[in-house]
Each structure stands twice: as C-alpha cells, then as structure tokens.
Amino acid sequence: MSSLSRELVFLILQFLDEEKFKETVHKLEQESGFFFNMKYFEDEVHNGNWDEVERYLSGFTKVDDNRYSMKIFFEIRKQKYLEALDKHDRSKAVEILVKDLKVFATFNEDLFKEITQLLTLENFRENEQLSKYGDTKSARAIMLVELKKLIEANPLFRDKLQFPNLKNSRLRTLINQSLNWQHQLCKNPRPNPDIKTLFVDHSCGQPNGARAPSPANNPLLGSLPKAGGFPPLGAHGPFQPTPAPVPAPLAGWMSNPTTVAHPAVSGGAIGLGAPSIPVALKHPRTPPTNPSVDYPSGDSDHVSKRTRPLGMPDEVNLPVNVLSATFPGHGHGHGQAFNAPDDLPKTVMRTLNQGSSPMSMDFHPVQQILLLVGTNVGDIALWEVGSRERLLMRNFKVWDLSACSMPFQAALVKDPGVSVNRVIWSPDGALFGVAYSRHIVQIYSYHGGDDVRQHLEIDAHVGGVNDLAFSHPNKQLCVITCGDDKTIKVWDAATGAKQYTFEGHEAPVYSVCPHYKENIQFIFSTALDGKIKAWLYDNLGSRVDYEAPGRWCTTMAYSADGTRLFSCGTSKEGESSIVEWNESEGAVKRTYQGFRKRSLGVVQFDTTKNRYLAAGDDFSIKFWDMDNIQLLTTVDADGGLPGSPRIRFNKDGALLAVSANENGIKILANADGIRLLRTLENSLYDTSRTSEAMTKPTINPISAAAATSAALAERASSVVAITGMNGDARNLGDVKPRISEECNEKSKIWKLTEINEPSQCRSLKLSENVRVNKISRLIYTNSGNAILALASNAIHLLWKWQRSDRNSSSKATASVQPQLWQPSSGILMTNDITDSNTEDAVPCFALSKNDSYVMSASGGKISLFNMMTFKTMTTFMPPPPAATFLAFHPQDNNIIAIGMDDSSIQIYNVRVDEVKSKLKGHTKRITGLAFSHVLNVLVSSGADAQLCVWNTDGWEKQKSRFLQLPAGRTPAQTDTRVQFHHDQICFLVVHETQLAIYEATKLECLKQWFARDLTAPISHATFSCDSQLIYTSFLDATVCVFSASNLRLRCRINPSAYLSASVSSNVQPLVIAAHPQEPNQFAVGLSDGGVHVFEPLESEGKWGVPPPIENGSTSNMAATSVGASSDEAQR
C-alpha cells in the first residue's frame, strides 16, 4: 500500500473515532495492521475478552512469527488456562490445553507437560512457580505489564504503536478544502452554493436551481446548539421606577417595573457563554462538569486561589462547515456578493514574540498599526506591527505602594504574582488603561512613539479587577471597572475620583459594556453566576436582573456602529456560543453555530466592519457573517495557536491580532492590511514617528469623542501561582513585581537556597511529655491553630497554640511554643491495637472538617474520638482486614473511604454503620486516598504502585494505571500517597522513588521528579496550602522545597539546620504536613517521636528563590513530556 493510502487509513481511523464508531475503529486497526491501539488491547485483557484479544493481535502478528510473538500468545493462553482452572472448570481447561496450548509443545515439550500436570492438582497454586498467583484481576494486570514489554520489543510492532499527530477532524478539513476548490472552478459560482452530495464533483447549477439542504441536517456537521431567547420580562412584575428616561434598547428589558430590587429571574436555557476575561474568571476553577460555580471570595489574595481548567478532551469534535460560504434560509444576506477571502484578515503577515503569554490586546483607535499587549506576568508592551518594533516594555510595578490599601500590600507580600486582565485604549487614543488581577488599575497617557507616562493608579477593587472600559457620561471621560468584590465602579479619568459604585451582583462581576443610545448612557454588566444587569449613571440600582443563556460567564459587545448587541461565552459544560440580542425585547435574536462541542477554555470574540464576528476556538479563528448563523470560514493562522486564542481586530478590520503558542502574537491581514504593512516596510517607522502625524496629543478628559463599545472581546485570564498545574501559564509565584525601579530580579544569578544553620530559618521543636517512639501520621487542624500527631504506639498528641501578646492570632507558628494539650480528665486518645506488634501496624487517621472529631486506626478497630474530651465515641470494623488509610467524603462527613490491608476500599456510612460499597482494583494494601469534589472522583493508591480513579456517584472504577518507576526498579511494597492540587483536577503522587503530578480525568502523568541513586528515598511529601510548593522529606533527614509548577528544587533544609549533631545520623523525618492557611509553614514528624515546625526567616518571607525562567517561561506543569527535573543532580 502506498504511503498516501496508509495515511488515508489514519484519517479514516481518526474520523471513525471522532464519530464514536468504536467497533469499526478497532476492526480497521486490526485489518490494516497500521496502528496497534495499546489502550484498547489493555482494556480487552483486563476484561478477559480473550477471543477478541487474539483476533486483534492477529492483524499484527502470528504465533510463530518470532520469539516475541510466541511469548505473547503463550502468556495470553496460559492466563486463560489458569483462570479456567481457578474456576474449577476442568472441561474448559482441557479444551484450552488441546486447542490453544498444544501448539507450543513442539517448541518446549517439557513445559507443555508441566502445564498439563496442573489438571491433576486441586489448586494449581500448589505448583511452586504458581504459588504467588493472586486473584484474576491482579494476575491479568501483572501479565499485561509483561505483554506490553514484549510488544514494544517486537520488531513487527515497530512504528505501529504511535498514532500520527493530527489536527482534529483532519479528514473533514480536507473535504472542505476540496469543495472550496471545486466551487472556485465553477463557471458561474453562486454565493449560496448547493452542496447535495460528496459522491460527485460539486458544480453550481442554474441560479434558480434547488436550494442547499440546511447544514443542520448535513451529515458532515455535528449536532448544533439550539437557539434560545429570554422569556418576556413582563411576566415577572414591575421594575422600580427610574427618574431618568429609559432608553429604547433597555425599555424592552425592563418594560414593567418591579417592587423587588433584584429579582432572581429564571430564564430558559440559552446558548450564551463568555469570551475573554481574566484568567480565573475566563477560566474559572469550577470545571465544566460541575453543576455549581465556586465563586472566588473578594479577599485580597483571591487571585492566588484561581486556576485555569485543563481543557476538554481532544477527542471532542466541532461541526465542520461543508463549504466556506453562506447558506440560504438562515437570516437575510447582504446585498453585495460574498467575498470572504478579501474582506477578512486571514493572511499571517507578522509574528511577534512577546516573551510572556499575551492575555489582552487592543489596537490604537487612530494609529491602527500600534498594538497594546498585556501578559500573564503583569507586563505591558506597545508594538508597531509594521516594523515589528516593540516601542515599549513595562514590567509590573506599583507606582505608590504607600497609597494602596493594606489588604493589597499584604497580598503582594504574600504572593507577588500579578496578571493583566485587560488593556484598552480610550476612544481618542490619548490614554490607555490596564486592569490587573490584584486590586489596581493603572491609567497611562500616550504622547506618541514610545512616550508613555504614568497618569493614574487606582486601588479599585478587593481582589481582582476583571474588566475595564472607557465611557463619556455627562460629556466627561470616565473609567469603568468591575471586580471580584461584586461591584462596578466609575472613576473620573482625569483625577481618579470615584463617581459611582454599583452594587447588586451576588457573584464576582465578570465584564462591563458601557454604551449610549438616544442620549442615554448606560452600562451592561455580567457576573459569574450568569446574571446580566443594566445600570444608569445614578444610584438607584440595577434596571435589569436576568440570567444569561448558559448561566455562567458572559461578555457583551456592540457592533462598531452601536446598532447591534452581541454576547459570547462558554457554559459550565464547556459549550460556547455567540448570540445576537433583540434589544427592544431583551431576547436572543439568533444563535450562531459552529463551535467545538466542548471548547478548550473560554472563547474570546470580537466584531468588525458592522458585518463580521470572529471567535478563537479549537486552535483557530472562526468567522461568521452577522446576518447568518452558519459558520462562514475558519482560519488556523498557519498553526501554532492555543485552544482558545485571544483575538482583536483593529478599528478598520484590516488587521487581526491573535495570541499564539510560545508567547507569540500573530498579525493577520486582509488585502488592505497587506498593502498597509508592505507600504510601511518600505519606510522606516522611526521617520514616521517624528513626523507631524505623530505630534504629541494632549489629554482632554472633557473630550466628547463618541464612546466606543466596551469591546469585551479578548480579555485573558488572571493566571496565578497555583495555576502551575495548568497548560500555558507561567508560574506567577516566580515573577516578583518590581515595586521600586532598583529591584531587578532578572539581573541576579539564580542559586539553590541551602539552609545549613539554625539561624537561616525559623524552626521549633514541639515540647513533649508523653513518650512516643516515632511519629507515623501528622496533620494541622483545619483552623490552623493546632497540630495532631499519631505515634507508632497508637497514642495521639495534640499541640495547641494559645492567643498571647506574641501570638495575637493563636495560629500555629514557629515563633511561639504551643501547649501539648490534654483534657482535665488526663486521658489520652489511644487507638485499639491487636496482639501483634504495633510497630508492624499501619497507622492512619482523618480529621473532620470542623475539627470536632478524628477517626483513627493503628492496626486494630477504627476509633472515633471527640477532639475536645478525647473520649472514644465509638469503635468499628475489627480486623481482619485492618484499615490502612482513611478519608472523609468532602460533601458528607458521615461517609468515609477506608483503605484496607487486603487491597480493598470500603465506602462506609458512619451514621447507619453500613458498608455502602466495596471497591476492588488494587493487589496490595491501600496507602493513599484523595477525593476531588470538583470531578466527583476518588483517587486511590496502593503498595502495588498502582493508581485508580473511582466515580463517587456509582463507585465504578474509571481508570487505573501503574506508577512509572525508574528503569530497573520493580514495584516494592512501599507506600504511594496521593493528594489533590488546589484546583481539584491534578494530584500529587508521592513514592519513595519520585514525585509526580497526574491529571485525574485521563490519569496522565504530567511531570515527574526522580530521586536518583545518589539521593536518599523520599519518606513523604505534601502540597503547601496554596499548591504552589511541595514540601518533601527524605530518609537522609533533608527536607526539600520544590516549585509545584515545574517540580524544580528551590530550597534544601539540611539536617544540621534543625537536628543536633549527636542525633542527626539516626533520625529521619517520616511525615510532613502543611499549614492550612500559611503557605510557607510546614511541620515534620520524626522517627524519634519529635515534631518540628518550620517557617522561613521573616526577612525572607518565602523558601528560596524560584529557578530561573527559561525562554520567557518556566516549565509548564501540563507538559505532555514526562521527565525528571534537571536539578535532581543537585541533591
């Protein structure tokens, strides 16, 4: 078969997989022999579908092809034979022996005889070689490890184990390109071509020929979202009267006043979502599958709690337009002939390297080749795209820290990471504003060329400032902001004086869209709960209270002429849409189609020429004609775009800026834009900068220039330090804002922070008067004012910090010695123990969310203790099996997951004393359990080095995977621990050989750090409370601090810093715990029974300095390549 024919098979395989023809996919894989689907093979082996296993293998090899193939078939048939024996199905075993195994007698007659003799045994485990045979599932899993090695070594499978790297829907794309080409060859090409079939070449019929079928019924198109609209407002009672006249566009939205200030109106489901916004808002924490939105609080460090979602599965496929042309029957067309290639900017003319990820962009309204950019690390830049010259680059800097609020100052000290959420020019281009993910807005004045001056700095909101716009109420230029504190504020653009504060939203405000009609100025605002409100410039409250289609992130924007209102967004389920509104009725007029079924992030959009809409979706830019709901065309900008690129047109629509991978920006142009850029190439921009056309304009805050629409198109998300687990964001914890000009971290040479002396950090050994041998488990209470330890002799120790002059907060600290607390009765919390040696037991405990009781076990019964009185409330589940790990269900304290030493997991309801479910999937004792309340899953780990993911709704096993161990290492009976990241999507895996970050939905390993031969084994590790750091203890008594974003070592605490020389060689840290509110505090439990609390010096404020930034960004936690960090040699 030719190479192209082979590639065609791969395209068909991709198409079948996207269309969910699962059986056909694997049949074609087997018949063609081009791609061996290891995942499918694994599933069939795990399920024991032996006939299908051999049938699938037969497409790639036969028994006698080579020694690898022979071994593969032998292992499969031997397993099938042993399973029949294990079920005491002798007749089946004999049949397998004769039909399947006899073929191997000619190669090894002695082995065949030995296999035959198993029939004579009551239990084949009496055979010495099979004495360790476990249950069926574990035996299959062990065999599968061997099979995979044999397949990978077999030369017949070479080049057949990797599927080519194809863009989604590649076959559809090729067909569309072919149809476009055929249409161009038509003698009389019609603007609305009639695509009836793919069986013959397309040609346009006579002008009055049959109309094309609706694309909604076209087999090439996937299912399309249904249009929807707001229900009439009138049904919900009158709105409050307003003193000012209500503009016509708002009249329909609030036709009848209401006595309720902000009624919660439940509209029908409508396909509205949200485009460009600050990271946490545009990319909120709550994943698409979670029905509830976890609203960020309006506190000063709110941004440190946000993360971007990891995106939707690549298999999800968007509908592909059959032809890049409009279809009749959907809206009215323009009077002119359709000519998308000339009208739309589709040709890549410039590629700019910003150095950090672009989050928001805006072209100058007058000098339309000037592009303003804000990035995920707080940088702003001004580009002249004609000459590719970066005129200006400013790192984030607070201009006057003393003028900022104390919460903001405290937040900056705690976490200096700042992202740009929005950049926008004023209507006349004399000013531009920058909204940051932390509290402030900065307004610059622009005087031509690279002359940019500080104008205003406003501490605008508590938390992030999520959007920014300019407006002209009362002929006075104003700045409008909205933020995490659920408010919208209006500021005088000349003085910075606050003019209005609009309150009424019940969730963080996501976007603002100021506008004017009939001399009435108003502002639309949207919040993260999907509410749309409208405000006049008075203090009488919202005139509209409605739920947007999708009931989530929503952004609104007008066409350039201000006559048409659009919104774009992404629902909680990841469904994106653009809709046009009927302003007079407050209802959806049309819903545009063609989005990916599950968008990768929140989609950004923009409008241009009063005719076109554009959105960044599915690694491309998609265009629509405003009058037609069908997708007009798609442009991939020569590839290299992120899943949901940010986009921005210039005012004329001749240029389009698009964010690209690797911190890039692509400038696309139409014919006019191409001519403009080529003209500029012939004359240096330096000359034009000194010309009269570039004379410095003066700021005129009273300017009555027409207000532009809020142009909410592209905003990017507020990336934060804990987004280290996510795809394309730099770890903002690695970026320190330069509060003074002199502070320039980039000029310093990075060096690993080594702590060798007690004076180099704050450490505190907790007092003890109860003799214990070693600390087996350790945890902070959820309130953060106590530490609970479980010793190997089954005794619990509780240290509490008291409020005092030196510790006004009563929180745990390394500066004040706590009290080893006991109730007045003097009793101890002591676990039930068995007659066996307690040192051999596996201790475990779990603390309730309110710190009122602890569930604990030390090899005997599970005990429930009252944390105030230390009394035993109840005991249950006597061994065997013994409990080895405990975890409370995040939504129900009465439900606990109990890992057992017999490898099972029991889901137990304490209230009714009943085991609700028993989960089996591991082969050795359970050593770790972690719930994700976002994904509704339980992740388990075992001493078999296996990870399993269980659905918490029905407790079915979703996925399982063995830990990737270093070469030459076999799974030992060692603990494997798991802990979810703050985003509840990724989780940390701790094994004596490594640290690893896994993504829970696909159970993919995103990043690993291996403890090499020169390194002592890892004893324990945990995330810091904000998931930016990983505290790790080693059996050589060192404690290391890693950056969670890239698993790179940033600080090492050597034993000499906290242990005396006389004991340091004999004592190891066994467990480590992180403070629940202080990200730089942790505690370790030692093998001698001691507990130490660690904090960095107050002068330092953090553990070491992050590793240097490489090529503009640190390694990404979501990198698909898995490898050890380069700094492991330092250990």
Side-chain angles (χ1 to χ4, degrees), residues 684-746:
L684 291 176
Y685 182 63
D686 289 339
T687 305
S688 67
R689 273 194 293 173
T690 58
S691 67
E692 288 298 316
M694 296 294 291
T695 55
K696 299 177 182 180
T698 58
I699 302 174
N700 181 12
I702 313 299
S703 168
T708 60
S709 72
L712 304 174
E714 84 305 296
R715 235 128 53 314
S717 317
S718 58
V719 179
V720 288
I722 64 166
T723 58
M725 297 293 175
N726 304 316
D728 57 359
R730 281 171 57 179
N731 179 3
L732 298 188
D734 297 353
V735 182
K736 183 176 181 179
R738 288 182 281 177
I739 295 175
S740 64
E741 289 287 1
E742 296 80 18
C743 180
N744 188 348
E745 292 290 331
K746 293 181 181 178

Side-chain angles (χ1 to χ4, degrees), residues 39 65 120 155 184 262 333 556 767 794 816 882 920 965 1020 1076 1100:
K39 177 66 172 62
D65 278 345
T120 64
Q184 292 178 30
H262 299 288
M556 310 182 82
S767 61
V816 178
K920 294 185 177 180
L965 297 178
H1020 201 230
E1100 298 291 335

